[in-house]
Each structure stands twice: as structure tokens, then as C-alpha cells.
């Protein structure tokens, strides 16, 4: 478990360092995630080194944002004042994303390889 | 939600709660790093359909963010709310990180992300069906793209295949949104 922790936190630290040095507007954790995937791919890191902690963290992903959800208390005022744009933006964009992603995937797939259907 | 009621009922100050909550929130960042493992596991699937998946994700991500911004703007949302809403389609830790990096209201982002997930979970496949998205890969991918892990739960209920592509959609859109959203909002003039 010590090894698993140090790998995950090591990649997070590298991500933090890159953000600190380059000032890119990308979250450090995302950079850590991409570097972890690449390192696994090229064999720098073995999957057994991280799999147990990673599976545990992903399984409990929902739990880690409970504090943030409670932080909702702090912004009741904003939601009350602007509930209409918030609700409309949520519904409209969810419908658009589903339709657009599906359409593009089907279109490109059938154009590139018309013989196969999924 | 129960916790909010509890804290309000006993008039516990948010900051007092937050001292303990910080220990839980601390794990958000490592949890996002950990998402690199399932991404690695799905690399083979991604490679096989690289072009259709990438094109679909890119289109979904871009139009998704633009549609949120435009709709919110049309209904008169303020700038900080628009910035907080922009990354709302992706999984909470990523959305919060992106919102935070852009100067959004993180708790608002978290709340909207959860609502989006529930909406996608309940209506996602119905929307896919109505908009004639038929193949399991395309509909799974699009529901995961639009409504992250909560939508993926609905896909998993259908079958493993739907679920696998839905989780691929949530991972890729999380990645794309993290990379695209900050510069896109700067381009649109919402963040400096």
C-alpha cells in the first residue's frame, strides 16, 4: 500500500510541479492522470503497483465529493437568484451533447468502415 | 443533502464542518490521478475505434461547453455562474478542478454536476433513442460524455458493453474538457 500511495501521490506531485512551472490552466491531477496512463503504457510503471489503490479510489469517487456537495450551502443565494439559466443550461446542453456525440460517432464510423455495424 | 439538513438544523457553521471535510476532499486529486488506470485498461478499445471516438468526443465536448455558455447567457446568468457551469458534463473531481482553475464557484459546479448526472441517468437513453442514436457504442459513449459516472450507472444496468463505452465517454470528455474548457472560455471572453 505504501508503494501504491507513493506512485499515485508521486504523479500528483509531478502534475503540481508542471502546473507551478509552466502556469498551464489545466488541473494538476489531470496532468498526473495522463502521465500515469503514459507510464503504464510504456511500462515504466506496472499495473500491480497502482491497481488496488486506484480501484479503491475510483470506487469511492462519489464519497470524496460529499464535502463539496455540502458546500452547496454556501451558494444557495446564487442558485435562488439564477435558477432559470442554471436549469435551462443543464437540460439543453445535456440533450445537445448526447445527440451530437452519438451522431458524430455513427457518422464517422459508417463513413470510414461502412461494412461493419455496431 | 441529508448532511446539509443536519448542519442547518443544528446550526453548525460550515467552516467548522469543513475542517473535517477537508480530510475527505484531500483525496479528490489522487482519485483523479487514479482514473489513469481504467484509461490505460481501455487503451486497446480506444485504439480500435480511435477516429470515430475522438471526433465524436471532440464534437460533444466543444458543442457541450458552447451550448452551456450560450444558454446560460441567453437566460441572463452572470459571468461567475457561466464559468461554474461550463465544465458541468464531466465527473465531479475533474469539473471542480477545472471550475476552480477558471475561478468558478466550485460548490455550485459540484451541485450542477450531480443534477446533470441524475438527468442523464433518467433521460439519457431516451434522448439518444429520440435523436436516433442507435448503436450501443454510440449511445453508451454519448450518455457517458453528457452525464459522467451517474449516467454510466444507467448504461451499466443495460449491459457491460454499454457501460464500458459510457465510462470511456466520461473519461475522454473529462480529459478533453480539462484541456479545452479553460482556453475556450478565455477565447469566449469569460475568463482572463
Amino acid at each position: 500500500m505504501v508503494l501504491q500511495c507513493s506512485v499515485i501521490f508521486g504523479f500528483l506531485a509531478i502534475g503540481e510541479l508542471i502546473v507551478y512551472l509552466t502556469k498551464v490552466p489545466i488541473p494538476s491531477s489531470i496532468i498526473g492522470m495522463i502521465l500515469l496512463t503514459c507510464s503504464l503504457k510504456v511500462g515504466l510503471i506496472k499495473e500491480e503497483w497502482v491497481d488496488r489503490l486506484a480501484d479503491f479510489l475510483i470506487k469511492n469517487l462519489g464519497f470524496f465529493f460529499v464535502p463539496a456537495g455540502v458546500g452547496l450551502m454556501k451558494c444557495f443565494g446564487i442558485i435562488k437568484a439564477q435558477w432559470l439559466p442554471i436549469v435551462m443550461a443543464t437540460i439543453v446542453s445535456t440533450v445537445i451533447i448526447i445527440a451530437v456525440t452519438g451522431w458524430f460517432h455513427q457518422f464517422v464510423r459508417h463513413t470510414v468502415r461502412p461494412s461493419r455495424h455496431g | 443533502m441529508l448532511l446539509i439538513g443536519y448542519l442547518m438544523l443544528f446550526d453548525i457553521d460550515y467552516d467548522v464542518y469543513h475542517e473535517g471535510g477537508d480530510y475527505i476532499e484531500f483525496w479528490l486529486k489522487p482519485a483523479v490521478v487514479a482514473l489513469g488506470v481504467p484509461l490505460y485498461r481501455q487503451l486497446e478499445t480506444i485504439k480500435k475505434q480511435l477516429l470515430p471516438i475522438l471526433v465524436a468526443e471532440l464534437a460533444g465536448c466543444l458543442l457541450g461547453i458552447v451550448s452551456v455558455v450560450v444558454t446560460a447567457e441567453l437566460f441572463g446568468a452572470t459571468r461567475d455562474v457561466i464559468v461554474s457551469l461550463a465544465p458541468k458534463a464531466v465527473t465531479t473531481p475533474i469539473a471542480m478542478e477545472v471550475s476552480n482553475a477558471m475561478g468558478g464557484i466550485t460548490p455550485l459546479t459540484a451541485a450542477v454536476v450531480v443534477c446533470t448526472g441524475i438527468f442523464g441517468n433518467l433521460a439519457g437513453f431516451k434522448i439518444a433513442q429520440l435523436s436516433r442514436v442507435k448503436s450501443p457504442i454510440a449511445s453508451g459513449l454519448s450518455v457517458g460524455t453528457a452525464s459522467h459516472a451517474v449516467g454510466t450507472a444507467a448504461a451499466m444496468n443495460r449491459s457491460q458493453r454499454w457501460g464500458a463505452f459510457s465510462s470511456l465517454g466520461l473519461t475522454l470528455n473529462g480529459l478533453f474538457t480539462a484541456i479545452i474548457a479553460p482556453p475556450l472560455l478565455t477565447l469566449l471572453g469569460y475568463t482572463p
Side-chain angles (χ1 to χ4, degrees), chain B residues 142-164:
Chain B
S142 57
V143 169
T145 305
S147 53
H148 54 94
V150 189
T152 302
M156 281 286 183
N157 280 339
R158 298 205 144 201
S159 84
Q160 286 279 329
R161 192 154 175 231
W162 265 281

Side-chain angles (χ1 to χ4, degrees), chain B:
Chain B
M1 281 299 162
L2 275 174
L3 214 62
I4 296 177
Y6 177 81
L7 292 181
M8 283 181 121
L9 195 65
F10 293 98
D11 197 25
I12 299 169
D13 190 54
Y14 174 76
D15 293 324
V16 175
Y17 165 78
H18 203 73
E19 272 177 37
D22 268 348
Y23 292 108
I24 307 174
E25 216 169 355
F26 167 77
W27 288 96
L28 264 178
K29 285 185 175 198
V32 176
V33 176
L35 284 172
V37 176
L39 188 65
Y40 162 72
R41 285 178 189 146
Q42 288 168 349
L43 273 183
E44 284 309 307
T45 325
I46 301 174
K47 249 194 243 162
K48 271 186 216 146
Q49 290 208 32
L50 193 64
L51 188 68
I53 290 176
L54 283 186
V55 172
E57 283 300 317
L58 200 62
C61 175
L62 270 175
L63 279 166
I65 297 170
V66 172
S67 66
V68 175
V69 171
V70 170
T71 316
E73 178 83 65
L74 277 178
F75 285 90
T78 52
R79 178 181 294 225
D80 51 348
V81 169
I82 294 174
V83 171
S84 314
L85 290 180
K88 67 121 190 64
V90 298
T91 192
T92 316
I94 297 180
M96 287 173 59
E97 283 274 287
V98 173
S99 171
N100 189 32
M102 297 188 303
I105 309 157
T106 337
L108 179 62
T109 305
V112 176
V113 165
V114 175
C115 296
T116 304
I118 295 170
F119 178 59
N121 181 305
L122 297 175
F125 282 103
K126 198 96 210 140
I127 298 167
Q129 202 189 341
L130 289 176
S131 50
R132 293 167 178 237
V133 174
K134 283 181 199 123
S135 85
I137 296 178
S139 58
L141 194 72
S142 57
V143 169
T145 305
S147 53
H148 54 94
V150 189
T152 302
M156 281 286 183
N157 280 339
R158 298 205 144 201
S159 84
Q160 286 279 329
R161 192 154 175 231
W162 265 281
F165 279 95
S166 187
S167 51
L168 180 63
L170 89 89
T171 312
L172 283 178
N173 194 26
L175 202 63
F176 282 175
T177 301
I179 297 167
I180 293 173
L184 182 63
L185 281 173
T186 306
L187 199 73
L188 294 171
Y190 288 101
T191 49

